[in-house]
Amino acid sequence: MRALVIDDSKTMRRIVSRVLVGLGYEVVEAADGQQALDAMVEGPLPDLACVDWNMPVMDGLTYVTQVRANPAWRGVTLMMVTTESEHGQIVRALAAGAHEYLIKPFTPDALKDKLDLLGLIPVAAGEPS
Amino acid sequence: MSAAQVAGAAPVAMDHVWNVVEAVWESLLGCWPAPAEPVDVQEDWVTAVITVDGDWPGVVALSCPPPTALHVGRAMLDLTGDEPDPEPDDVDDAVREVVNVLGGNVKALVPGGRALGLPALLSGAPVVDGELAGELFIGWPGHVARLGLWHTGPADQLLPIHQHTEQK
């Protein structure tokens, strides 16, 4: 499975990517929403995009809106990963088309739980050892 | 807890901010913080600042000595003892991200918090055009940091302590 990790913090991208790679994801990183859109145009499309909210150039909410406006990208699951924790912000993101919402700070297990809810734990990673 | 709170200045108990600090330290740095004795921010300290806009506009600033900033970078990047130190830009990014997460959670605590700025880095103590509302001194093995919360709006907009929790 492929994931796109979008955050203006390289450190946070690495934290999220570390969890996803550990689960077997192939990860591409982007520093803002526009870079992420460019990566999706170039392809291949990700199965999952983890999106920060507050970023320069293009914020996460705009990115989510743009992705949802393109029918060809309907299969991409969008998860906000952000410090924006107010109920109103969560509602805005979900209304714009985000499937899940993870508030920073989070633990690796919290991220895995969200992926599990979305059915996005790769089969090999979910198998009992 | 070693928390200083200016009476009438902060719209939320600094105890609640301390709870945020604990969650951030545990999840991002992999350690549990303890209250530390107050210390002066030195000229060579690294300070990350972020603005909170809304009904109670303010600034959140995290200051720490350079070795602590390096420790933050190593911890967040999950570097083990024999791995080389991260590049200075990566250390800066890590400290900015810590204040970004702190600021976002503080925004959720203050009444009417609407927008979070982008984090910025500077050297030494922050110079903020506003009133210090509260501060925390955060300790963990071998390290210390100071977290400050300033109100940057007009003085007549200062809100009473605990107003946020009383509204619930």
Side-chain angles (χ1 to χ4, degrees):
Chain A
M1 299 181 87
R2 294 190 185 88
L4 185 53
V5 176
I6 312 158
D7 198 305
D8 56 329
S9 166
K10 182 179 176 183
T11 310
M12 187 53 67
R13 292 199 304 271
R14 286 194 189 170
I15 289 172
V16 175
S17 296
R18 195 163 57 222
V19 175
L20 296 174
V21 168
L23 291 171
Y25 274 88
E26 179 184 328
V27 175
V28 172
E29 297 182 3
D32 58 63
Q34 186 58 56
Q35 275 190 19
L37 291 177
D38 293 344
M40 290 173 67
V41 168
E42 289 177 15
L45 282 181
D47 302 286
L48 166 74
C50 296
V51 193
D52 185 23
W53 190 306
N54 295 302
M55 294 181 288
V57 184
M58 180 187 288
D59 65 42
L61 189 66
T62 304
Y63 165 81
V64 167
T65 303
Q66 299 234 359
V67 170
R68 282 293 157 257
N70 186 338
W73 292 345
R74 195 169 294 159
V76 180
T77 298
L78 302 173
M79 177 162 61
M80 300 298 295
V81 182
T82 173
T83 63
E84 297 284 349
S85 58
E86 296 91 334
H87 177 72
Q89 300 291 71
I90 296 172
V91 170
R92 281 180 72 196
L94 296 178
H99 297 86
E100 256 300 351
Y101 203 99
L102 180 62
I103 297 170
K104 300 176 187 173
F106 60 86
T107 62
D109 282 345
L111 174 54
K112 290 174 187 173
D113 286 347
K114 293 288 187 183
L115 295 173
D116 198 20
L117 284 172
L118 292 165
L120 287 174
I121 300 284
V123 174
E127 286 176 353
S129 55
Chain B
M1 180 195 358
S2 181
Q5 183 155 13
V6 181
V12 61
M14 292 303 284
D15 286 359
H16 296 172
V17 179
W18 179 261
N19 293 338
V20 170
V21 167
E22 288 180 332
V24 170
W25 256 243
E26 183 182 24
S27 61
L28 292 184
L29 305 184
C31 65
W32 196 253
E37 291 300 314
V39 290
D40 291 330
V41 175
Q42 305 298 310
E43 286 183 5
D44 67 335
W45 282 30
V46 176
T47 293
V49 298
I50 194 161
T51 58
V52 176
D53 194 17
D55 294 344
W56 196 87
V59 168
V60 177
L62 178 72
S63 301
C64 65
T68 295
L70 177 60
H71 163 79
V72 167
R74 291 190 64 91
M76 291 180 69
L77 294 169
D78 202 25
L79 299 177
T80 55
D82 56 347
E83 291 181 273
D85 286 338
E87 296 294 320
D89 284 352
D90 292 341
V91 173
D92 291 350
D93 181 80
V95 178
R96 278 196 302 266
E97 185 59 14
V98 172
V99 87
N100 179 48
V101 178
L102 289 168
N105 284 272
V106 166
K107 178 170 81 74
L109 290 175
V110 299
R114 283 191 292 273
L116 191 66
L118 293 173
L121 216 62
L122 53 90
S123 293
V127 179
V128 180
D129 185 12
E131 180 179 354
L132 180 65
E135 58 185 347
L136 297 170
F137 295 93
I138 307 159
W140 66 109
H143 300 285
V144 67
R146 183 248 199 175
L147 180 69
L149 173 62
W150 282 262
H151 178 251
T152 55
D156 60 2
Q157 287 182 5
L158 291 178
L159 297 166
I161 295 173
H162 297 309
Q163 176 166 332
H164 178 71
T165 51
E166 287 170 356
Q167 284 177 334
K168 283 186 175 177

